[in-house]
Amino acid sequence: AQTVTQSQPEMSVQEAETVTLSCTYDTSENNYYLFWYKQPPSRQMILVIRQEAYKQQNATENRFSVNFQKAAKSFSLKISDSQLGDTAMYFCAFMKLGGGADGLTFGKGTHLIIQP
Amino acid sequence: DTAVSQTPKYLVTQMGNDKSIKCEQNLGHDTMYWYKQDSKKFLKIMFSYNNKELIINETVPNRFSPKSPDKAHLNLHINSLELGDSAVYFCASSRYRSAANYGYTFGSGTRLTVV
């Protein structure tokens, strides 16, 4: 079984600052995918970014990038030029290769607050 | 044009009642899921279902049962509701073999409150 750990229950930064959310995971799988999901107060779950474990290059989506360290089983999310609309819960999630039926294993989330 | 829609968005009911939450997706996905988000925001899979197999998380009480009339629908039935069932329930869908490539699409959740 996989476990995902997010050690920061809550973080608060000023608008326009850069913030990094940490995530570590434990698995015996060699091929898998990692995700960051955002859940704003509207409750909707929104995919922010995904990373394939077999790719060494870190994924980037506009202001969002990850630092994927496979050996360390670490998958942090960096948000650059943070905006008020980034305020949300952020969940790190794991899925094994071909694991459609097994679904996503989530961490407990980090509540990110962007201060004006 | 919501891709994954759940109804109702809010449900308040008394202990012991039986209730259903409906989910429909118009994405042509072949796999659907139910997740439970507890009061501490922790998300955990309850069921995954495609037209070939139903996989049930072993921790889910048998009072919970998914019902799929067709590939586009996966409803959640809950019998004899208990206070501890209060949570937000999310429906999601994906392509079975490509869930990781394309990710999940989540519904907006149903907040169930048992009083």
Side-chain angles (χ1 to χ4, degrees), chain A residues 33 35 37 39 42-45 47 50 52 89 91 95-96 98-108, chain B residues 9-10 33 35 37 41-43 45 48 53 55 88 90 96-97 99-101 103-104 106-111:
Chain A
Y33 298 84
F35 305 84
Y37 277 86
Q39 186 178 38
S42 67
R43 211 167 64 198
Q44 185 70 43
M45 292 291 289
L47 177 63
R50 57 184 285 276
E52 297 95 330
M89 285 289 294
F91 295 95
M95 179 191 294
K96 66 182 184 182
D102 291 350
L104 290 160
T105 299
F106 286 93
K108 293 190 174 183
Chain B
K9 293 191 183 307
Y10 299 93
Y33 312 82
Y35 279 79
Q37 186 173 40
K41 302 287 188 180
F42 184 55
L43 280 148
I45 191 167
S48 68
E53 61 181 342
I55 297 179
V88 178
F90 284 95
Y96 180 75
R97 294 296 179 191
N101 287 336
Y104 283 25
F106 282 87
S108 57
T110 296
R111 180 176 293 281

Side-chain angles (χ1 to χ4, degrees), chain B residues 58-98:
Chain B
E58 60 189 13
T59 66
V60 176
N62 57 15
R63 298 181 296 103
F64 290 78
S65 58
K67 297 278 193 279
S68 180
D70 56 56
K71 206 168 75 167
H73 297 83
L74 184 65
N75 304 323
L76 181 64
H77 296 267
I78 315 169
N79 296 325
S80 303
L81 276 156
E82 300 177 358
L83 293 176
D85 297 333
S86 295
V88 178
Y89 293 85
F90 284 95
C91 178
S93 71
S94 72
R95 290 189 177 93
Y96 180 75
R97 294 296 179 191
S98 306

Side-chain angles (χ1 to χ4, degrees), chain B residues 2-7 22-25 91 107-108:
Chain B
T2 305
V4 179
S5 61
Q6 294 179 229
T7 54
K22 294 185 177 181
C23 180
E24 175 182 6
Q25 55 96 2
C91 178
S108 57

